[in-house]
Amino acid sequence: MKIGIKTFAAAAAVLVLTMTLIACGNKSADSNTSNSTTIRVGTKDFTENLIVGELYALALEDVGYQVKRVPNIAGSVIHTSLVNNEIDLYPEYTGTGLTILKMSLMTNPDEGYTTVKAEYEKQFQVTWLNYSQANDGAGLVIRTDVSKKLGITTISDLQKHASELRFASQGEVDQREDGIPALEKVYEKESKSVSGRGSFDRLCS
């Protein structure tokens, strides 16, 4: 059994990633949109984004729109797909939006949303729709036997024993500014090794 230590985003004082639907801001296309229009809903190539994209697709179909699903687009190219009019919308996160804009991360979700909304309109002519009342935060898990042996129940406890543990990350967490680097900056952890796989799992809140 694995136990959660703390929500990484809150404990490390890094960005809470507000889940937001992002859509192409072509004003002329918007004015001609009708329920007969086929809307191309893209999703990134991981489970959470596929599920959220499907929710948006079903919601659009429920009000009469035709939807073409374009799943499993690599996160490194999906923004370009939107800008190049290969898809019409996809679920995106304000933290990722700030990264695309090459801007510093923000811990206030409303400030992050307002910033990416304005800058995407200015730079890409892309519109961020109203964000959903949900957020996606990263988390840490640890083996129960290790937690009990070392008395680790918080990230502060984890810091004290960092040199005794092996840490591993999932996906881009070990490289993203709001991932392991932010955790290390705040808690000044030192670990024996960091790899791209293993027991450091991303938890969705």
Side-chain angles (χ1 to χ4, degrees):
M1 174 178 150
K2 294 179 178 179
I3 61 170
I5 296 180
K6 271 188 179 180
T7 302
F8 173 37
V14 297
L15 182 68
V16 175
L17 302 176
T18 303
M19 187 177 298
T20 309
L21 180 65
I22 186 173
C24 185
N26 186 312
K27 301 301 188 293
S28 60
D30 291 344
S31 63
N32 294 324
T33 297
S34 70
N35 282 29
S36 62
T37 300
T38 297
I39 299 177
R40 299 162 298 174
V41 178
T43 54
K44 298 182 184 181
D45 55 352
F46 59 90
T47 304
E48 177 186 304
N49 209 257
L50 289 164
I51 291 172
V52 176
E54 180 63 16
L55 291 174
Y56 284 127
L58 291 172
L60 289 166
E61 289 176 334
D62 192 53
V63 293
Y65 286 98
Q66 298 180 40
V67 174
K68 179 181 179 182
R69 292 161 174 80
V70 188
N72 294 310
I73 304 172
S76 58
V77 300
I78 195 167
H79 170 76
T80 303
S81 296
L82 180 69
V83 173
N84 289 345
N85 196 31
E86 296 168 359
I87 57 175
D88 298 305
L89 56 88
Y90 73 96
E92 187 56 285
Y93 311 90
T94 54
T96 303
L98 289 168
T99 299
I100 290 171
L101 293 166
K102 294 180 171 50
M103 300 180 71
S104 299
L105 295 175
M106 301 177 183
T107 58
N108 184 311
D110 291 330
E111 181 184 7
Y113 169 74
T114 301
T115 300
V116 295
K117 182 176 176 64
E119 289 300 318
Y120 266 62
E121 287 279 6
K122 183 190 303 182
Q123 297 187 33
F124 310 119
Q125 293 73 58
V126 165
T127 300
W128 284 67
L129 305 184
N130 294 336
Y131 62 78
S132 62
Q133 297 302 310
N135 64 66
D136 174 33
L140 295 176
V141 294
I142 186 172
R143 287 172 45 136
T144 303
D145 60 334
V146 175
S147 173
K148 290 180 177 179
K149 177 182 178 181
L150 299 178
I152 297 173
T153 58
T154 67
I155 296 181
S156 294
D157 293 336
L158 181 66
Q159 179 202 12
K160 298 172 186 176
H161 297 280
S163 62
E164 304 170 56
L165 301 170
R166 292 173 298 169
F167 294 87
S169 67
Q170 185 179 47
E172 301 173 348
V173 179
D174 59 327
Q175 299 175 354
R176 285 177 58 102
E177 185 181 351
D178 58 345
I180 292 271
L183 187 66
E184 292 179 333
K185 181 178 180 180
V186 173
Y187 289 92
E188 298 180 350
K189 295 191 314 88
E190 292 183 359
S191 62
K192 290 182 178 179
S193 64
V194 176
S195 67
R197 60 187 182 278
S199 59
F200 178 30
D201 298 328
R202 191 162 64 99
L203 303 180
C204 301
S205 58

